[in-house]
Structure formats: structure tokens, C-alpha cells
Amino acid sequence: MAALRDDPSPVVAQSRAAGEALDAWRAGAATRAVLDALDAYGAGRPLAGCTALNAAMEPESARHFVSGVMAALVGAMRSGPLGQPRLVSSSVGAIHRLTLAASGRAVLSLALVDGDALAQGLSRISPRVVFQPGETCLTILSGRGRGRIARLGAGDLHLRRVAFLPVALNSGKRLLLDAGCEALDLLGVDGSLVSLRLHRRAEEIQPIREYDLETGSLVHQSAGEPRESRLALAAALLGRMKRRDALPALGALVRGTGSAELRWQALREALALDTAQGFALLREIAVRCDDPLASAAVRLSQDLCARHPQLAALAGDALCPA
């Protein structure tokens, strides 16, 4: 390790070799056909119309597709174990994912569920599941597990009825889910469960929501698009840093075309940074009756004026009905 600190060239060379192995796999005719179909799918074409991609999600084809990338990647890592392949990976609880390709709104990834970690997690928390608007196709490559498909029914956004359909998770199983209202809830996995996962975000940006399956209550909500997540994080950071010079940028987010969640986050940060300017933004939204934030802005404006009478002097235009 000390030698590598002085001369990192072996790491660079091994990383380059891993990248070249992946590039060679991507350049193959069969892989290229799947990736071209992923481009079309990510742009909005139905999965059934993306022949190579749809076929790659069938059990035998999925195993062949994944074997190809694993052979390229594992071979490169064996000869150069310090190399870093250019693939995005993530781990959340018992689930580990490796992104194989992404295009437009679509992501194709390899997922592994650790059965022991899943059992520990299930023993500690009330069952919850995430609904990510869009559609998900899942093909089990190896392993065995038990699960159920959770379906959101009618009800208020914050309290929904949830129905369940038991499903056996065995090698060769393929699932197609309307991910905005359907999600796979894992109940147990023997050892590990490996799957090829294809997900496409909804065309209209919608929040990702997590529900408690026992009560049907909404427990968490986050931005449904990576750029919005970054902007929301940036807005929160600027607020914590007390950067009053960021008020014009926050105002642009509030008046922009982003999701209601992002605009509301920016509005809250503007209020915390400068009461007068933030309140002016709040009132600006509260008088726009066609704005989806208008009702919430009216309620907050009225609440602030009731608790801080001095703010009433800043109020001007008539508000929309709350």
C-alpha cells in the first residue's frame, strides 16, 4: 500500500484494463443489440417493442447476458485486482446493486439480496416497501426466496389500502410490475438471491414513496429524479451554510418547473435565510390559484401571520382559497 501511494500507476493500469474489458463486452453484437434497445426503451418505447431487450429479460437469455459481463469483469479483476471498473454500485440494507447500463429514463442492473442481512432487517423494523413510479421488470437468475407483491389501493396519499399477492421467487421467475403502485416485498431468502432488474422512471417526474405495509401510512418521500435530488440537497446545504447570496437561485427554483417537493424545499430554505424575501416568495405562490403549491402556501402564510403579526404588514394581494 505504501508503494502504491508513491506510485499509483499499477492501479491506473489495472483500472484501464477493467474498462477495456467492459468496452469489449459492450462492443459485441449481442450486447450492442440489447444496449440499442435500452436506448429506445429509455426514450419511451414499450418494452414489447424493444425486441432485444425484452428477450434479454427472459430467464435463459438473462443468464447468458449476465454471464457475458461477469466473464469480462471477473477476468479483468483476476488479472488486476486493484482495478476499479467503471460501473456504478450501491448497497442499501440487504440489497446490493451493480448498474450494467443506463439510458434516458431506464436502468439495467444486477441485484443481489443477502438472505442473512434481510432476516436481521426484517426482525428490527415494521415491514415497509418503496414505490418508485414507472415500470420494473425483474428476472431471477439464481437463488430461492419468498415474497409478495404489495399493491396500493384507493385512499388518501398519506394513508392507502394495501393488498398482497404471494409469490414464490425461484430461478427463472420473471415479474413485470407497475412500480408506482406495485412493489415486491421480500419475506425471506435462502442464502442469496440474484436478479437482473430493468426499471424505467415514469415520464412525468413523481416522488418515490415508502409505505408502512401494516398500517398503509406514508413514512417517507423523496425526489423521483436524480437531478431533483441533487438540487434539493444543494438547497438544504445552502440554507445550513446561511448563504443569503443564494436567495436568487432559491427564488428561481421556487418559480421554476421542478416538482412540488423541490420547489417547497427551496421556499423553506429561502424563508429561513431571509424572512422578508422568503415571505414575499411565499405570498407570490399563494396568489397563484393554478399553482399546485398554492393551498399549502396559503395555509403557511396564514399561520405565519397569526404567529408573527408583523408579517401581516408585508401581506398584499388577496390569497387563493386554502
Side-chain angles (χ1 to χ4, degrees):
M1 295 302 294
L4 287 173
R5 283 199 300 269
D6 294 334
D7 179 15
S9 59
V11 176
V12 174
Q14 292 177 27
S15 295
R16 185 183 302 114
E20 290 171 352
L22 287 173
D23 290 341
W25 167 74
R26 293 189 181 106
T31 305
R32 191 67 261 162
V34 173
L35 297 182
D36 288 344
L38 182 68
D39 291 340
Y41 182 66
R45 184 181 297 177
L47 181 58
C50 303
T51 307
L53 180 61
N54 193 29
M57 295 305 296
E58 292 297 332
E60 287 305 317
S61 298
R63 291 191 189 96
H64 181 72
F65 179 79
V66 172
S67 294
V69 67
M70 288 298 104
L73 186 58
V74 173
M77 296 303 289
R78 279 176 176 159
S79 60
L82 298 176
Q84 296 294 313
R86 299 190 302 269
L87 292 176
V88 176
S89 62
S90 64
S91 295
V92 179
I95 301 176
H96 311 280
R97 287 201 180 111
L98 185 68
T99 298
L100 302 180
S103 180
R105 295 185 280 119
V107 177
L108 182 64
S109 59
L110 190 64
L112 180 144
V113 181
D114 182 329
D116 292 338
L118 177 67
Q120 293 175 10
L122 291 174
S123 68
R124 290 196 299 265
I125 62 172
S126 174
R128 298 175 177 180
V129 73
V130 174
F131 296 90
Q132 184 175 359
E135 62 181 31
T136 298
C137 184
L138 195 71
T139 302
I140 307 298
L141 301 176
S142 67
R144 184 174 59 187
R146 302 166 304 285
R148 55 186 180 175
I149 296 174
R151 290 196 176 108
L152 285 179
D156 180 77
L157 170 65
H158 296 279
L159 188 63
R160 304 285 292 273
R161 296 187 184 127
V162 183
F164 300 101
L165 176 66
V167 60
L169 303 173
N170 300 315
S171 179
K173 183 76 172 180
R174 171 171 162 159
L175 297 172
L176 186 61
L177 305 173
D178 179 354
C181 59
E182 295 180 325
L184 178 61
D185 178 36
L186 293 168
L187 301 176
V189 166
D190 300 332
S192 61
L193 189 75
V194 180
S195 62
L196 184 63
R197 180 181 185 271
L198 174 66
H199 178 79
R200 182 173 67 185
R201 301 193 311 271
E203 184 174 4
E204 181 182 346
I205 298 174
Q206 301 175 46
I208 298 170
R209 296 186 173 100
E210 183 178 8
Y211 282 86
D212 185 302
L213 295 182
E214 291 184 347
T215 65
S217 59
L218 178 66
V219 294
H220 182 71
Q221 180 170 292
S222 60
E225 202 271 336
R227 179 177 178 274
E228 292 232 337
S229 295
R230 291 193 293 269
L231 288 173
L233 181 61
L237 178 61
L238 290 168
R240 301 305 177 274
M241 294 173 67
K242 303 188 184 303
R243 291 289 299 269
R244 294 186 72 256
D245 59 329
L247 282 165
L250 292 172
L253 286 178
V254 173
R255 299 184 183 97
T257 58
S259 67
E261 291 74 23
L262 172 62
R263 296 174 61 218
W264 191 254
Q265 172 76 27
L267 181 58
R268 291 174 54 198
E269 300 300 340
L271 273 166
L273 284 172
D274 187 291
T275 302
Q277 292 189 54
F279 190 73
L281 271 174
L282 178 65
R283 297 289 294 195
E284 185 179 322
I285 300 302
V287 299
R288 296 178 183 173
C289 297
D290 60 343
D291 193 310
L293 289 180
S295 295
V298 168
R299 290 192 294 271
L300 180 56
S301 177
Q302 292 172 340
D303 180 59
L304 289 174
C305 287
R307 287 190 289 141
H308 306 283
Q310 62 271 32
L311 289 177
L314 301 175
D317 299 330
L319 301 179
C320 296

